[in-house]
Amino acid sequence: MAEAAALAPLYITMHEGDNVAIVANDGGLPAGTRFPSGLTLVDKVPQGHKVALVDLEAGDPVRRYNVVIGRAARAIAAGSWVHERLLEMPQARSLEGLPIATVRPPQPPPLEGYTFEGYRNADGSVGSRNILAITTTVQCVAGVVEHAVKRIKAELLPRYPHVDDVVGLEHSYGCGVAIDAPDAIVPIRTLRNISLNPNFGNEVMVVSLGCEKLQPERLLPPGSFTIVDERNVADIGATEGPGLDVVCLQDEGHVGFMSMIDSIMTTAEEHLERLNDRRRETCPASELVVGVQCGGSDAFSGVTANPAVGFCTDLLVRAGATVMFSEVTEVRDGIDQLTSRATTPEVAEAMIREMAWYDAYLGRGGADRSANTTPGNKKGGLSNIVEKAMGSIIKSGTAPISGVLSPGESLRDRGIKSGLVYAATPASDFICGTLQVAAGINLHVFTTGRGTPYGLAAAPVIKVSTRTELARRWKDLIDFDAGRIATGEATIEETGWDLFKLILDVASGRTKVWSDRWGIHNDLTLFTPGPVT
């Protein structure tokens, strides 16, 4: 019956006030197709693309999500394909006069009794993985660390079965930059906070060249983290702690390349021994820190995957967990929806400051926000950034927004313990993922309509498809199919609950995501927001 429903001509509206809908059928529908409503297609309409439900005159508003996503550039007959060339994009919402902390939704009862098996850390955080991370202070040492990590994985890691992985935190920063420039704080605190991600077990190991501007003590100053040895937990400035663990390649004791590799491996083994002594413990779901993000979006993103993630976000918040959503470039056009959900005027003003920074950034570069929508987004039916923004925001659910992080900041920096948090990042998958790792996620949920092999070495990434066709075609890359919502095989609520349970399983190590099975992990990318050279 579900298969028959999928074969019948089907379009989807998001609100009774919409005057366009998207075609749901795989492969789209040809001209002349008649829907059960009586609407007949004038044009061939690809899957996910919009069809006019009524006749539109030039200048008429085109509404999806009950939001004006554009105005008709010319007359459009009912049944016509409504694509980007037929739409004039509206101006961005002013950052003045926004609704501030006006929405007070009913508070649902807390979700109790949900747990996962995680690794408790000395600093109070909980990891979903038990990984040794090797931090680098400068790009110059990246090749050496890459070689050492390969050796550690091949020769040492098999002896420590309770350690999940070894990763090198390599990047292109650290020297040849104006290290004291005002905006330099962003990449520096990003790298610092990545090193302190809860999935790394409070084991901090650094490889330095020696002459770089970003010295180890500047990256991880005394008191910035706790470290563990067999006897104690101490601030790195304390006399009883073992101190900042640095392998400096320019030290005179290193005679040749292999001497450097031997030093890194010897130091790594000390950390591996401590990590290997750890075991998973039953932890409440409130210890989860989940980042949500979308990439390779299409018109179904705001229909299936992101609404399901949004429902799941509300469940996680009810369970006491922390959820962060991001992507300044993709929520700018819905800023009024976000400021109205802020718990306090201060939270709303912090979001407005992040949007204002983006506006100024576009102005300096002589660009406009229309550049955000990619060729893939457009091929998937998204005509412009306004339409894309509406679908993106939905994954934040309905919970109040209780905090804001600037790029590179962590939950620890702001003293945030739980709730829905806006972590300001660009929309780039890799930079957003990097900044969410720095913010402290122990698990990542990534929705996609066009498909991407995206993955993170620091945290498991649950990839959610917006369409069942993609989930079938990429069966060994997609972890969760939300496309069932489009054909009525499952509701948003049912899919959201299924995703919630999958998150608990993945965080517990009971289920392994595809990107980890294949070892597909994208490079971390430090965000440098201004001129730092």
Side-chain angles (χ1 to χ4, degrees):
M1 205 173 156
E3 184 177 355
L7 293 174
L10 177 65
Y11 65 68
I12 298 173
T13 56
M14 300 304 296
H15 189 276
E16 62 182 11
D18 291 354
N19 55 17
V20 294
I22 66 167
V23 168
N25 301 76
D26 287 353
L29 293 171
T33 299
R34 186 177 177 83
F35 293 96
S37 66
L39 180 71
T40 300
L41 289 184
V42 174
D43 305 306
K44 177 181 178 180
V45 181
Q47 184 188 32
H49 284 247
K50 292 175 289 298
V51 56
L53 300 177
V54 298
D55 292 333
L56 298 169
E57 297 297 327
D60 281 353
V62 176
R63 304 187 72 89
R64 186 168 181 237
Y65 301 99
N66 199 32
V67 169
V68 177
I69 63 170
R71 294 191 177 274
R74 60 171 173 80
I76 303 173
S80 297
W81 177 16
V82 181
H83 48 75
E84 60 171 311
R85 296 184 298 280
L86 295 181
L87 288 180
E88 295 175 350
M89 191 166 68
Q91 292 294 313
R93 172 69 187 261
S94 171
L95 296 180
E96 301 292 333
L98 291 167
I100 302 294
T102 55
V103 174
R104 290 288 182 268
Q107 292 298 307
L111 282 182
E112 299 176 344
Y114 289 94
T115 63
F116 71 102
E117 302 301 309
Y119 293 96
R120 289 197 175 277
N121 299 321
D123 66 357
S125 65
V126 174
S128 69
R129 293 291 183 270
N130 192 31
I131 299 171
L132 172 61
I134 302 176
T135 299
T136 60
T137 55
V138 66
Q139 195 274 340
C140 307
V141 304
V144 176
V145 171
E146 181 181 11
H147 185 92
V149 167
K150 289 179 180 177
R151 289 267 313 268
I152 293 167
K153 287 184 176 184
E155 300 172 27
L156 298 182
L157 197 56
R159 291 161 31 197
Y160 300 98
H162 299 292
V163 181
D164 294 317
D165 202 0
V166 179
V167 300
L169 302 182
E170 299 151 15
H171 53 89
S172 58
Y173 196 71
C175 205
V177 297
I179 203 72
D180 294 316
D183 285 337
I185 185 60
V186 175
I188 293 173
R189 74 185 175 201
T190 299
L191 183 57
R192 174 187 305 141
N193 285 327
I194 289 171
S195 304
L196 304 178
N197 183 276
N199 287 351
F200 299 150
N202 292 157
E203 293 289 335
V204 181
M205 174 180 167
V206 180
V207 175
S208 162
L209 181 60
C211 60
E212 65 271 21
K213 292 181 181 178
L214 184 56
Q215 289 288 301
E217 295 78 10
R218 179 164 189 157
L219 175 63
L220 292 156
S224 68
F225 70 102
T226 57
I227 54 179
V228 183
D229 66 10
E230 297 84 353
R231 302 176 306 282
N232 57 60
V233 177
D235 288 341
I236 60 173
T239 56
E240 63 271 74
L244 181 57
D245 208 348
V246 180
V247 175
C248 179
L249 301 189
Q250 289 178 346
D251 281 352
E252 293 183 1
H254 289 138
V255 181
F257 176 68
M258 292 313 300
S259 173
M260 300 174 187
I261 298 300
D262 290 343
S263 290
I264 294 172
M265 293 183 68
T266 299
T267 304
E269 190 156 19
E270 297 174 4
H271 294 273
L272 289 170
E273 289 176 355
R274 289 195 290 268
L275 288 170
N276 197 58
D277 287 339
R278 291 152 46 91
R279 299 293 184 272
R280 290 186 182 271
E281 304 174 30
T282 300
C283 304
S286 58
E287 302 288 1
L288 285 168
V289 182
V290 179
V292 298
Q293 184 190 356
C294 49
S297 301
D298 66 1
F300 284 97
S301 294
V303 177
T304 60
N306 288 351
V309 169
F311 186 85
C312 181
T313 291
D314 288 345
L315 295 177
L316 288 164
V317 171
R318 287 173 57 192
T322 305
V323 181
M324 62 183 70
F325 70 109
S326 298
E327 300 166 290
V328 170
T329 49
E330 293 192 5
V331 304
R332 169 64 180 86
D333 276 274
I335 182 59
D336 55 317
Q337 298 179 31
L338 303 183
T339 56
S340 63
R341 288 168 56 196
T343 53
T344 66
E346 291 74 20
V347 170
E349 291 299 329
M351 282 190 282
I352 292 170
R353 284 196 298 273
E354 297 298 342
M355 303 302 135
W357 183 92
Y358 174 53
D359 288 354
Y361 172 79
L362 290 177
R364 290 195 303 270
D368 65 58
R369 72 197 203 285
S370 67
N372 173 274
T373 316
T374 68
N377 296 153
K378 294 173 183 177
K379 190 173 182 180
L382 293 173
S383 295
N384 58 36
I385 186 56
V386 183
E387 183 179 12
K388 187 178 180 182
M390 296 305 106
S392 178
I393 286 173
I394 293 174
K395 65 181 179 290
S396 68
T398 61
I401 301 168
S402 58
V404 177
L405 301 178
S406 293
E409 286 188 324
S410 71
L411 297 169
R412 182 192 315 102
D413 294 336
R414 291 288 180 179
I416 297 172
K417 302 295 185 183
S418 63
L420 180 63
V421 176
Y422 181 71
T425 77
S428 165
D429 298 347
F430 315 124
I431 302 177
C432 178
T434 298
L435 292 173
Q436 287 194 354
V437 169
I441 62 169
N442 50 25
L443 189 142
H444 195 62
V445 176
F446 187 97
T447 67
T448 183
R450 305 301 296 168
T452 173
Y454 172 88
L456 295 171
V461 177
I462 299 175
K463 284 198 288 297
V464 180
S465 67
T466 70
R467 297 174 296 120
T468 298
E469 184 276 333
L470 175 64
R472 284 197 301 260
R473 186 160 47 89
W474 283 25
K475 61 182 184 298
D476 54 359
L477 286 169
I478 297 297
D479 301 292
F480 187 85
D481 174 26
R484 300 171 298 152
I485 295 169
T487 55
E489 298 171 71
T491 66
I492 290 171
E493 293 78 9
E494 290 168 341
T495 309
W497 270 109
D498 288 345
L499 180 59
F500 176 76
K501 294 169 185 175
L502 177 61
I503 286 171
L504 297 178
D505 280 345
V506 171
S508 299
R510 293 188 291 265
T511 299
K512 198 169 187 179
V513 296
W514 279 110
S515 59
D516 286 347
R517 292 193 219 182
W518 293 120
I520 301 173
H521 299 138
N522 294 99
D523 291 339
L524 299 177
T525 306
L526 296 189
F527 176 49
T528 52
V532 293
T533 56

